[in-house]
Amino acid sequence: MESQRRSLGDDSTISPELDRLIRQRGRDLRLRKLDQQNAVKIVNHLMDSLLEFLKNNEDQPFFREVSVLTSGSYYELVKINKPNEFDIMLKLKGPRLVLSELEEYQGLFYKIKLCKATRTEIQHFLLEDERTISATKIKAEMYRLVRKFISNHFQGEGWVIRRNLVNSPAVTLEFKAKENEDDVMSVDIVPTLEVPQGWPQAARAGPNVDKWLGKKCRRQFVSKAVYFVPKRPKGRNLKDDAKESWRISFSHIEKEMMHYHGNKKTCCETHSNRCCRKLCLRLLKCLIEGLKQQYPKELEPLCSYHGKTAFFHVLSDRVHDTLWSPGQLSVSFMKLFGYFERCALNGSLPHFFVREHNLFSPPAFPKRALLFLTNVLREQRELGLPVLKVPSPTSALVPDTDAVIQPISGTESIVASERSFRHVYVCLLVVIVCVGIGCVFQT
């Protein structure tokens, strides 16, 4: 067991080559300021126009009083490569609500009902019992309104609405600039219900941040409102309650933890107090993204939130700012990578806020996909994290010598021998023709 622990992210496993790779890749992941400015300008214009449209829409009064809550990697300052993905939560104003946990999902999914019957605008989104808020109706209406908004106000300006996905809570818009259609930017718009009367029982203990951010900070988190998005659990043959369920969201707390991430309040306030926490998360997101590009089918359940959850667990364990100094980047990242690999190996990644829920449990994360992830993470570690390497732009110009020396067998040998024979035959024919022409001129 001890030897296995040392092999998973121990300091002694970091070679000079791996150290250089981690540091170089970390520098390459930074966003260009010009790209950020252009992207934010486009997204802000879209959202300002959408809010104005919803405020004045006559179709559905319930969506008039929405407010924006930004979330996701860009607003947490951990976005990598390009500022091309934005998450926008639209908070819907509603009456007092009652939560009912769906027990088979360990505190992550809920049925949401009104405290009492109502004749307000929300009545159009209730089920037959006239109390339960329908997640599918809310999401469908959000999709319809956004589609109408795009067709009326942004037709021909590069924005298109993507097909509605059953297991996604978002209405996704894509933007393609006319001058460069290869660069695609997406905005996820998620309708959200706010429940201000306290966290549900499964999350009431709060996140494990006492040694990291402090008990006072945890109590402040738990005193805040909690949000729910219209997302159903994965799996087949869902019950009716599960099909209309809402998933609890802590994205506003996650963003705050990312912003105030240090054990001391002075962390990252000045250049001399910088840490490498966020850079470690960017590197793990880069690794996950690279693996999903290589194995899209096998690692379909894997997403950046798994890496983010592992990151929070490591922060709550390695609490001191001195452990995350920029000079400790490679060590800190390999500690994070090692923890993530151990979670996959053990089949256990507890949700950071709902501790009884395992993000690596089926059906959300099938055993076959988890086994594949375990093997590919071990392979990455043993080979020095090749997925972090940036392909050289001149690699296509370099001859592939390995392909020349590798033996050819089976049908490939037949094709190769036929091609070789044709080549020799053509060369002999050319030589004969040239000799014949020479003889004619001599005579």
Side-chain angles (χ1 to χ4, degrees):
M1 180 64 70
E2 182 66 21
S3 61
Q4 182 190 63
R5 188 191 65 81
R6 286 199 300 268
S7 67
L8 300 182
D10 186 73
D11 304 355
S12 61
T13 63
I14 304 177
S15 65
E17 294 80 9
L18 181 58
D19 179 66
R20 285 194 297 270
L21 172 63
I22 291 173
R23 294 184 180 279
Q24 180 59 52
R25 197 70 182 99
R27 287 190 290 268
D28 294 340
L29 292 176
R30 290 177 294 187
L31 302 181
R32 293 174 55 203
K33 286 190 176 181
L34 182 60
D35 290 341
Q36 294 183 65
Q37 292 170 356
N38 292 336
V40 169
K41 183 179 179 181
I42 294 171
V43 173
N44 285 346
H45 175 55
L46 173 77
M47 293 312 302
D48 289 343
S49 302
L50 176 59
L51 289 178
E52 186 68 21
F53 169 80
L54 293 175
K55 179 181 178 181
N56 298 317
N57 94 89
E58 298 180 356
D59 294 355
Q60 191 44 256
F62 181 60
F63 283 81
R64 288 177 185 168
E65 297 185 51
V66 296
S67 56
V68 170
L69 176 68
T70 55
S71 62
S73 60
Y74 179 80
Y75 298 101
E76 294 168 349
L77 304 181
V78 290
K79 187 74 181 74
I80 61 174
N81 298 324
K82 292 182 179 181
N84 55 4
E85 293 178 349
F86 294 82
D87 298 318
I88 309 292
M89 300 174 74
L90 290 185
K91 295 189 293 182
L92 302 170
K93 188 176 181 180
R96 189 172 177 85
L97 304 171
V98 177
L99 305 176
S100 298
E101 178 187 333
L102 302 185
E103 295 182 359
E104 59 267 40
Y105 301 103
Q106 297 83 43
L108 214 58
F109 293 89
Y110 293 80
K111 181 170 68 173
I112 300 181
K113 302 176 69 174
L114 303 178
C115 285
K116 57 182 180 180
T118 181
R119 292 188 178 278
T120 59
E121 291 84 359
I122 199 173
Q123 65 178 322
H124 302 292
F125 304 100
L126 302 179
L127 298 179
E128 293 180 356
D129 63 359
E130 298 183 350
R131 292 285 186 89
T132 304
I133 302 177
S134 168
T136 56
K137 288 184 179 181
I138 290 284
K139 184 182 169 185
E141 184 61 19
M142 184 84 262
Y143 185 88
R144 188 190 70 81
L145 288 170
V146 173
R147 184 173 58 184
K148 182 178 179 180
F149 160 72
I150 292 297
S151 62
N152 290 353
H153 298 274
F154 282 83
Q155 188 71 36
E157 296 189 25
W159 286 104
V160 295
I161 187 168
R162 283 214 315 225
R163 184 172 60 88
N164 203 356
L165 300 178
V166 174
N167 283 108
S168 172
V171 178
T172 302
L173 294 173
E174 284 188 349
F175 177 80
K176 294 182 180 180
K178 294 180 181 179
E179 56 273 14
N180 188 4
E181 293 190 356
D182 291 333
D183 287 339
V184 179
M185 181 169 61
S186 68
V187 177
D188 281 348
I189 301 172
V190 183
T192 307
L193 291 178
E194 180 178 4
V195 179
Q197 62 260 31
W199 290 17
Q201 186 63 40
R204 194 158 295 170
N208 179 24
V209 297
D210 288 5
K211 295 181 180 179
W212 166 32
L213 302 175
K215 294 181 180 179
K216 181 181 177 181
C217 196
R218 175 176 56 81
R219 287 193 293 266
Q220 289 176 346
F221 289 157
V222 177
S223 67
K224 295 179 182 292
V226 68
Y227 298 100
F228 292 84
V229 298
K231 180 179 176 65
R232 63 169 62 179
K234 287 187 177 180
R236 298 178 180 178
N237 302 320
L238 296 177
K239 298 179 181 178
D240 290 341
D241 284 348
K243 291 178 182 178
E244 293 291 353
S245 64
W246 297 75
R247 176 167 171 156
I248 194 169
S249 171
F250 300 93
S251 58
H252 56 310
I253 307 295
E254 293 167 4
K255 186 170 71 170
E256 196 167 339
M257 289 195 305
M258 285 291 190
H259 187 67
Y260 303 104
H261 55 261
N263 183 236
K264 297 180 179 179
K265 293 182 179 180
T266 56
C267 184
C268 289
E269 283 188 352
T270 63
H271 184 74
S272 60
N273 292 327
R274 294 288 181 189
C275 78
C276 65
R277 287 179 175 92
K278 289 185 179 181
L279 186 51
C280 286
L281 178 56
R282 290 193 197 104
L283 285 164
L284 185 59
K285 285 164 61 70
C286 177
L287 183 139
I288 290 174
E289 186 176 295
L291 292 179
K292 285 184 67 68
Q293 288 176 355
Q294 289 184 18
Y295 311 104
K297 184 178 179 180
E298 295 85 350
L299 295 179
E300 187 274 332
L302 182 65
C303 67
S304 62
Y305 194 75
H306 293 103
K308 187 179 182 180
T309 300
F311 174 68
F312 284 142
H313 283 298
V314 173
L315 291 191
S316 66
D317 181 56
R318 303 180 79 236
V319 299
H320 298 296
D321 295 342
T322 54
L323 297 175
W324 299 91
S325 65
Q328 298 288 319
L329 173 62
S330 297
V331 172
S332 298
F333 174 68
M334 290 309 296
K335 292 286 187 184
L336 174 58
F337 177 85
Y339 177 80
F340 189 62
E341 185 180 358
R342 284 196 298 275
C343 288
L345 183 64
N346 298 329
S348 176
L349 178 60
H351 192 285
F352 193 67
F353 297 89
V354 184
R355 303 178 192 179
E356 294 300 317
H357 188 92
N358 179 14
L359 295 177
F360 275 163
S361 64
F365 213 109
K367 291 183 178 180
R368 179 178 295 182
L370 188 61
L371 178 61
F372 189 92
L373 175 62
T374 302
N375 292 334
V376 80
L377 289 176
R378 183 187 69 249
E379 181 184 59
Q380 285 292 316
R381 173 171 47 81
E382 292 173 348
L383 297 178
L385 305 182
V387 75
L388 292 182
K389 295 179 181 178
V390 180
S392 172
T394 59
S395 60
L397 303 178
V398 180
D400 187 2
T401 55
D402 291 337
V404 176
I405 62 175
Q406 286 179 354
I408 305 175
S409 61
T411 57
E412 293 180 354
S413 63
I414 299 174
V415 174
S417 60
E418 288 181 353
R419 289 177 179 172
S420 178
F421 176 78
R422 291 172 186 170
H423 179 73
V424 173
Y425 179 79
V426 170
C427 290
L428 287 174
L429 185 62
V430 170
V431 170
I432 294 172
V433 171
C434 290
V435 171
I437 294 174
C439 293
V440 170
F441 279 106
Q442 286 180 358
T443 56

